[in-house]
Each structure stands twice: as C-alpha cells, then as structure tokens.
Amino acid sequence: MKPVRTISDFQEVLDEELSWRLKELAELKAAARRPQALTEITVVRAGAALAYAHWEGFVKAAAVAYVDYVNSTRTNVKDLATCFAVLSLQSKIQPLIETKSADLSSAAFEFIRDRLNQRAQLAGKEVVSTESNLSSTILKQILGALGIDITRYETRFNFIDGTLLKNRHAVAHGEKLVLDRFGWETVADDTIRLLRWIKDDFENAASAGTFKRVILNAHASPSVGDLAQ
C-alpha cells in the first residue's frame, strides 16, 4: 500500500482498493452466467470464497489507511478523539489496568500524562486486526475503535455472519455449498454495497476530521432549553 500522507492519498488508496475488487466480483458474476469450461457451481463456489476475501481485505485495507492518515496529521494525543488517544497509548494503558504493582502503575500513568502533549504515534497495521474472521463482532470492534458509526451495518449482521462467513467456511472446509447463480449474484451485490458503505464512512470521517477531540466552549451562551431547566 502506498504511503498515506494527505487526505487525497487516503482517497486514492480507497479508490484503488475498491476498484480492483469490484472488477473481480463483476467478472465472476459474468462468468457464472456463461461458465464455459467451468461448471456454474464451480464458479459460484469460487465467487463465494472471493466475496468474503474482498470483504475482509477491503475493511482491513481501509482501516489501516485511515489510521495511517490520522497519524500523518501529526495531531497531539490530547487533541485526538478518545478512541484514537486510546490506540496511541494502548501499550501503556493495558499494563496500567492489569498490574497490581504500585510502581509499575505509577510509571505507566506518568508515561501517559507526559505523552498527552506529544504527537500521537499510530501505525495502521499494528492496531487493525480482522483476526482472519471478519464477523459482525469483529467489525463492531474495528469500526468502534476508529470512531465509525456502526448503526447502519447492524441491518447487515445476518448477511455478514450467516451468508458471507458461512459460505466462506463451507468452501474452505470442502463442504457442499447450497447456492445457485442467482443466489451468488445477490451475495455479490450485497457485498459490493457493504464495501461502498465502508469506503463512504471512512472518507467522510477523514473529511470531517472526526478523529479529533471535540472541545465544547465553556463560555458559550446557554440555550433556551438550558435556561428552562
């Protein structure tokens, strides 16, 4: 993956990652209609495995590129949204939570306090893991850790777990796949929709700067609702 230093770099990475994946899925859809040398079921089995591969691959690529973009903004830890501040200090936060040693706990806390005014150090490949099994649960963890709203994906959890993952496991384990060409085309279309959602949400987050901490103005005038309370 090319270095991500600007929002244009980030958008270019997403465009490139999505375009070749969409091309492969489209080609397999076409191949299932005219299998020629391969049987329809062979093309469908290959397509089912590839649909999951592109799902996992694109989510990971987009998330890694987004973290790398955030890192490129040279934002201080204290100015990051909480989720990113946690990611930047993760190596010290965990010992602080787990240790029973006062000395280690104090040392970890001092490290964290000293780092707040320093530039955050984030590496996408180190903080993003699909665990080779991008279920709805793992998706929630990844998007939640990066401040991406999970709400609209909740309507597709059954598809992610009950279709994408289930079909992938069936093919990987040499089991029979109950899926015809028309079912495969629906799977491909639904997968493409998810990939486009992922791309849009990450691009919007980068453009809106949602990775930055929102600081409320303490001197702002109270609203009518506040005065009524």
Side-chain angles (χ1 to χ4, degrees):
M1 185 184 297
K2 63 175 289 185
V4 180
R5 298 189 179 93
T6 67
I7 195 166
S8 294
D9 291 339
F10 175 56
Q11 291 171 333
E12 186 176 335
V13 167
L14 292 187
D15 287 340
E16 291 176 355
E17 282 286 339
L18 184 61
S19 63
W20 72 269
R21 297 176 191 280
L22 296 186
K23 183 173 183 292
E24 280 199 354
L25 290 169
E27 288 175 348
L28 273 173
K29 284 174 65 178
R33 298 189 186 106
R34 41 177 176 74
Q36 298 176 349
L38 297 176
T39 63
E40 178 180 309
I41 189 59
T42 299
V43 175
V44 168
R45 285 176 65 82
L50 197 65
Y52 171 81
H54 283 318
W55 162 241
E56 179 182 320
F58 185 67
V59 169
K60 185 171 184 178
V64 167
Y66 182 49
V67 174
D68 290 344
Y69 165 68
V70 173
N71 189 62
S72 76
T73 64
R74 306 176 69 86
T75 305
N76 289 344
V77 176
K78 68 180 180 63
D79 296 322
L80 287 172
T82 300
C83 58
F84 276 98
V86 169
L87 288 178
S88 71
L89 299 172
Q90 205 163 44
S91 64
K92 289 294 181 178
I93 289 177
Q94 199 61 36
L96 184 61
I97 295 171
E98 295 176 352
T99 186
K100 295 181 180 179
S101 165
D103 290 341
L104 289 177
S105 187
S106 296
F109 180 75
E110 288 298 329
F111 173 85
I112 292 171
R113 183 161 60 182
D114 291 343
R115 285 291 301 273
L116 293 180
N117 291 310
Q118 296 180 19
R119 176 190 167 192
Q121 298 292 325
L122 296 160
K125 289 184 178 179
E126 294 178 10
V127 301
V128 177
S129 174
T130 59
E131 300 182 20
S132 299
N133 186 34
L134 190 53
S135 63
S136 60
T137 299
I138 301 300
L139 179 69
K140 284 196 294 184
Q141 291 175 2
I142 292 173
L143 297 187
L146 303 181
I148 303 295
D149 186 6
I150 194 70
T151 303
R152 68 170 168 173
Y153 296 93
E154 292 174 347
T155 64
R156 309 306 298 156
F157 282 176
N158 286 339
F159 171 71
I160 292 169
D161 296 333
T163 300
L164 274 178
L165 261 72
K166 184 178 179 181
N167 289 347
R168 176 255 197 166
H169 290 330
V171 174
H173 297 151
E175 299 171 1
K176 185 177 181 180
L177 186 64
V178 184
L179 188 68
D180 61 14
R181 171 170 67 84
F182 302 102
W184 148 242
E185 289 189 4
T186 299
V187 169
D189 290 340
D190 286 348
T191 302
I192 289 169
R193 183 178 298 108
L194 280 173
L195 299 185
R196 292 192 185 281
W197 284 3
I198 292 290
K199 181 176 184 289
D200 289 345
D201 285 345
F202 276 115
E203 284 186 333
N204 291 339
S207 298
T210 58
F211 57 87
K212 292 184 178 180
R213 179 185 175 199
V214 177
I215 302 176
L216 299 177
N217 185 353
H219 303 292
S221 300
S223 65
V224 174
D226 293 333
L227 293 173
Q229 294 179 359

